Amino acid sequence: MTFQPEQLGQSKADLAASLRELRKRVGLSQVRLAQRCNMSQTKLSNIETGRVGPSLVDVELILRVLEASPAEVAEVMSLARLANTEWQGKRASWRRGLEKRQAEPAGLESETTTLRYFLPAMVTGLLATPEYVKASLSGSPGDKTKTVARKLERQAVLYDSTKTFTFLLTEQAVRWPAIHRAAMAVQVDRLVSLSHLPDVRIGVLPIESAMSRGPMNTFTVYDQRLATVETFTGRTVFQDSRDIAEHLRVFEMYERNALFGEAARRALTEWATLFRS
C-alpha cells in the first residue's frame, strides 16, 4: 500500500466515518453494536467520532459483527493500518525546535525495556562522541548547542540496568567518515568501550557478510509496541502489530549474521586502526 504523508492524518477521520456509516447501513444503534462487540458505548462513540483511535483488533471485531463484505473489510482495514501509522516530518520538527525534538525519543527510551536499533548508515546519537554528534547535526538549522547537550544527556539511559539494548551496525555505519580520521578512530573506540556494558549488545555486520536482503533504512523497535523508521525527510512511526512484527523479523535476520562480543571488538579495533594509519 502506498500513501502520501498527509494521508496519515486524514485516515483517522476516514476510518471513523467508514465505521459509523457501516453501522448505520445495517441498522444497528451504537448501544446494540457496543454490546455485541463487548465494549462500552462510550468507547464506540469515541471511535466513531475520531476522538479515540481503535486498535486493529477493535476494527476487525466491529467489521465481523457488522458482517462487512470482503471488499469493505479490505478498504476499512487499509484505513485502520494507516490510522495506526504516524508521519513526523523533519521540517515540522525543526519549527518546534531541535532541542524539543529530543524529548520524543527520550520519552520512548524511558518507557521501554527492550530497545533494538538497526543502523545501516551512521552511528546513532546514543553511541556517539560529542564531535560525532555535532557533525550529525550539521544539516539542521539554528543553534545546535543545546541539542548536542541534550543528545549527550540521553546517553545516560545506557547505564539503566532495567533496560537492554541491542545495536546492529553495518560496517558502512561504523566507517562512514562523518568527522576527520583521528576523531573517527576515537568514535570507533567508544563503540568498543560501550560493548562491555552488561546490558548493551553491539553487533557489527562486516561488508563481506553474505545476506540476500539489503539494509534499506535506519529503524528502532521499542519492546513489541512501536517501531520508528528514519528517512531523509522525517520519521514514520508504526503501531500496527504486523508492521512491528516485520521489523522484528528483519532485525532478527541481521542479528543472526552479526558479530558480537570479542569478534565484534576485533573488527572494530581493526577499523579504528585503519583510521589511525
Side-chain angles (χ1 to χ4, degrees), residues 155-224:
Q155 294 178 356
V157 75
L158 296 175
Y159 301 89
D160 185 340
S161 60
T162 66
K163 304 179 185 298
T164 59
F165 298 83
T166 302
F167 298 91
L168 297 181
L169 300 97
T170 63
E171 182 174 342
Q172 172 177 309
V174 176
R175 298 180 64 179
W176 185 260
I179 45 183
H180 59 87
R181 293 181 66 85
M184 280 299 302
V186 174
Q187 172 59 70
V188 181
D189 288 342
R190 174 164 172 76
L191 297 178
V192 174
S193 177
L194 290 174
S195 73
H196 288 283
L197 290 176
D199 299 311
V200 175
R201 299 174 69 237
I202 294 182
V204 295
L205 292 152
I207 198 69
E208 64 266 19
S209 301
M211 283 174 289
S212 59
R213 187 158 189 174
M216 294 182 66
N217 38 35
T218 297
F219 67 84
T220 306
V221 183
Y222 299 89
D223 291 329
Q224 295 186 350

Side-chain angles (χ1 to χ4, degrees), residues 207-244:
I207 198 69
E208 64 266 19
S209 301
M211 283 174 289
S212 59
R213 187 158 189 174
M216 294 182 66
N217 38 35
T218 297
F219 67 84
T220 306
V221 183
Y222 299 89
D223 291 329
Q224 295 186 350
R225 62 187 176 86
L226 187 144
T228 63
V229 176
E230 302 284 344
T231 70
F232 279 115
T233 55
R235 176 171 62 185
T236 303
V237 181
F238 295 99
Q239 299 180 69
D240 181 339
S241 60
R242 287 171 292 188
D243 290 321
I244 296 166

